Amino acid sequence: MKHFRFVLATMLTLPLAGSAQTTGSAQKTNSAQTTNSAQTTPDPAAVLQRTGERLLADLKRMPRYTCVQTITRTYYEGKHQFERPSCSSLISAHNARKKKLPVEGWDRLRLEVALVEGNSVYSWVGAPRFTDDTLDKLAGSGPLGSGDFGVFLSGILRRATLVFQAERVVDGSRIFEYSYEMPIGKSSYNVKVPNGWAITGYSGTLLLDPEAADLVRLVVRTDELPPVSSACQATSEVTYKRAPIHQRMVLVPHETRLYTITATGNESMSQTTYANCREYSSTVKMIFNGETTNAGPAATVTPAAEPPAPLPAGLQFKAHITTPLDSDTAAAGDPIEAVLTTPMRGQKKEVIAPAGALLHGRLRAVKSWTGPFDSLQIGMQFESVEIGGRKVPLSAVLYAPPYATFMATNSYRMKFLKPDDSFIGGTFFFNEVHLRPKQLDSEWITVAPSEEKDKK
């Protein structure tokens, strides 16, 4: 499966306080689209003003919230061409196409996202900290976007001119549609390119509920991206709902679909769902350029105990995965646990960790692809082992000769020492549809942290 690295981010530097720029024209709606008489139809400009003020008030509290994202990325294979087509022709072909391209494969990951100082920051679910460089690292070889967690909306309400287009009926409810354009001179939409980031302009629509004065749907479509990018265009479609958090109904994303068109003609669709949205209730560490900031209420700091030293390299062990795994729902980032089925022994055969000791780690890749036969890839990484009641840092790779593979007769499993993603651990390949935890029972060998870069 030929993936591409493509990361989108919107980075706003404006504070979240203030009033909305609610310029709009109350154009005459078509009589066929009007469900009520003119006397009962709300004024579109007034609806935009009232809803914008409410949404900006909501965004003031956004930095106090975090949600878990589950992202399933489906990859579509474009037609092979001898000459590289222009982005404009690829975009036109995509818009005119009546059916989807053939599916090339999919992958899935699960992250935690928070809005901090106007920027979306990420971590693996349950990780002890957020970092500002995590988005690029976690994207792997596929597209990953940010901004739907309030950042896009803030920029549009403050900087763009919104124009009323039409009244629509969606699921039996009256909806007002507004269009907007964000020129590159006002945009804070950044696209990852080989040498850093490039700003792009964008446009789209907002669907508002005039009765509830609330946002229903947001569409963000980039301009044609610069030639140095690996993609031609990206379109985000975000639906919003209100969820109860700390006895308040808070506007949060419900689902996001990110469509991308690559410069080679391949396409992808990333479907993101949100769960476990909550407000910070304790101090949360945010790491920016090595400096720590607090994103929650101040708290008394208790000096931490000296962390244990990582295990030395060269310790061989066998592990049995105890966490139930389902390839239909598992995602990169999910925590896993295992137990040692053999003790870890040092050079003098002394027991460093006994059989039965608990191992902690997480999945680092869950992906599938088609042709010449369907395959499933599971990558996993151990992070620590419990010894004497303490979690000792652990770095390990599958124990096998370099680049060696073998076929297990009972599960048709191939194991590769070197994974195709940059993490320390092991990668398993299957030609089975469903995964069972015992298929991941395997032998490992520890590596020193300084060796990790060479072992990737």
Side-chain angles (χ1 to χ4, degrees):
M1 179 165 58
K2 298 178 181 177
H3 285 174
F4 56 93
R5 179 177 294 277
F6 183 55
V7 182
L8 308 174
T10 55
M11 295 181 285
L12 301 182
T13 57
L14 293 179
L16 290 179
S19 61
Q21 179 183 357
T22 54
T23 57
S25 61
Q27 299 178 354
K28 184 178 181 180
T29 58
N30 186 288
S31 59
Q33 297 171 317
T34 305
T35 57
N36 294 311
S37 65
Q39 291 77 9
T40 60
T41 299
D43 177 56
V47 170
L48 180 59
Q49 175 74 28
R50 183 171 67 254
T51 306
E53 291 175 352
R54 181 186 186 189
L55 295 176
L56 284 172
D58 285 337
L59 290 174
K60 292 180 181 180
R61 289 183 59 86
M62 273 293 183
R64 298 177 61 87
Y65 293 95
T66 178
C67 293
V68 174
Q69 294 182 325
T70 299
I71 306 167
T72 301
R73 303 182 289 199
T74 305
Y75 302 92
Y76 302 93
E77 185 175 10
K79 295 181 179 180
H80 297 286
Q81 303 184 39
F82 291 103
E83 294 184 2
R84 181 168 174 170
S86 66
C87 274
S88 58
S89 65
L90 291 173
I91 294 171
S92 297
H94 169 82
N95 294 336
R97 189 177 299 117
K98 300 299 183 182
K99 60 181 181 180
K100 294 181 179 179
L101 295 171
V103 174
E104 188 180 27
W106 59 265
D107 64 2
R108 188 183 303 114
L109 61 156
R110 210 171 336 263
L111 309 172
E112 192 154 7
V113 58
L115 191 66
V116 180
E117 298 178 356
N119 297 319
S120 296
V121 292
Y122 296 82
S123 74
W124 291 122
V125 177
R129 65 186 187 184
F130 290 88
T131 61
D132 61 345
D133 62 349
T134 306
L135 178 63
D136 191 11
K137 292 180 179 179
L138 300 187
S141 55
L144 187 63
S146 70
D148 43 4
F149 202 59
V151 182
F152 273 136
L153 186 58
S154 178
I156 293 168
L157 292 175
R158 295 179 186 283
R159 300 177 181 180
T161 298
L162 291 103
V163 179
F164 177 69
Q165 294 296 325
E167 178 180 334
R168 298 167 51 184
V169 176
V170 178
D171 296 331
S173 300
R174 173 194 292 174
I175 299 297
F176 281 6
E177 179 178 347
Y178 301 80
S179 64
Y180 69 89
E181 291 188 5
M182 182 72 75
I184 193 169
K186 295 182 179 181
S187 176
S188 295
Y189 194 140
N190 286 265
V191 180
K192 186 70 173 179
V193 295
N195 295 324
W197 297 88
I199 295 180
T200 180
Y202 59 96
S203 60
T205 58
L206 277 79
L207 297 185
L208 304 183
D209 183 339
E211 302 298 329
D214 217 349
L215 175 65
V216 176
R217 185 168 175 258
L218 170 65
V219 176
V220 178
R221 182 177 296 104
T222 69
D223 297 342
E224 183 176 319
L225 298 174
V228 292
S229 173
S230 61
C232 292
Q233 189 179 61
T235 302
S236 297
E237 299 179 357
V238 191
T239 58
Y240 291 86
K241 289 188 177 181
R242 291 194 176 265
I245 302 178
H246 281 197
Q247 299 180 345
R248 290 189 56 184
M249 296 302 293
V250 179
L251 184 72
V252 294
H254 175 67
E255 181 183 88
T256 297
R257 291 176 179 262
L258 170 63
Y259 301 88
T260 57
I261 304 172
T262 76
T264 61
N266 293 339
E267 299 183 10
S268 70
M269 193 278 285
S270 302
Q271 182 181 15
T272 302
T273 57
Y274 302 80
N276 195 26
C277 293
R278 62 199 185 281
E279 186 175 9
Y280 298 136
S281 58
S282 60
T283 300
V284 177
K285 290 184 178 180
M286 307 290 177
I287 312 299
F288 297 103
N289 297 322
E291 298 180 358
T292 303
T293 61
N294 290 328
T300 303
V301 178
T302 303
E306 186 71 20
L311 290 178
L315 305 180
Q316 297 181 27
F317 62 92
K318 293 182 179 180
H320 167 67
I321 305 298
T322 58
T323 301
L325 296 175
D326 184 348
S327 55
D328 292 334
T329 57
D334 287 351
I336 58 171
E337 290 187 348
V339 294
L340 292 178
T341 57
T342 59
M344 288 187 187
R345 297 183 180 273
Q347 294 183 349
K348 298 180 180 180
K349 304 301 181 182
E350 74 279 13
V351 175
I352 295 178
L358 190 61
L359 294 159
H360 301 275
R362 66 179 66 247
L363 299 180
R364 291 301 304 268
V366 178
K367 58 181 66 176
S368 177
W369 63 96
T370 59
F373 52 85
D374 293 344
S375 301
L376 175 68
Q377 177 180 340
I378 302 292
M380 58 183 296
Q381 178 182 39
F382 288 122
E383 298 172 343
S384 65
V385 57
E386 293 190 12
I387 302 176
R390 304 183 72 187
K391 290 185 178 180
V392 179
L394 167 68
S395 296
V397 297
L398 282 170
Y399 182 66
Y403 311 108
T405 68
F406 71 90
M407 185 73 74
T409 57
N410 61 338
S411 64
Y412 300 99
R413 177 185 64 186
M414 294 180 292
K415 297 201 302 185
F416 288 74
L417 177 64
K418 186 176 181 180
D420 64 355
D421 290 311
S422 56
F423 63 88
I424 305 305
T427 303
F428 300 80
F429 292 82
F430 306 86
N431 63 359
E432 298 178 349
V433 177
H434 297 289
L435 171 69
R436 295 183 296 275
K438 67 180 182 180
Q439 293 177 307
L440 298 178
D441 290 356
S442 48
E443 187 171 357
W444 299 73
I445 186 169
T446 60
V447 295
S450 60
E451 299 178 36
E452 291 185 356
K453 185 175 180 181
D454 297 331
K455 293 288 186 180
K456 289 181 181 180

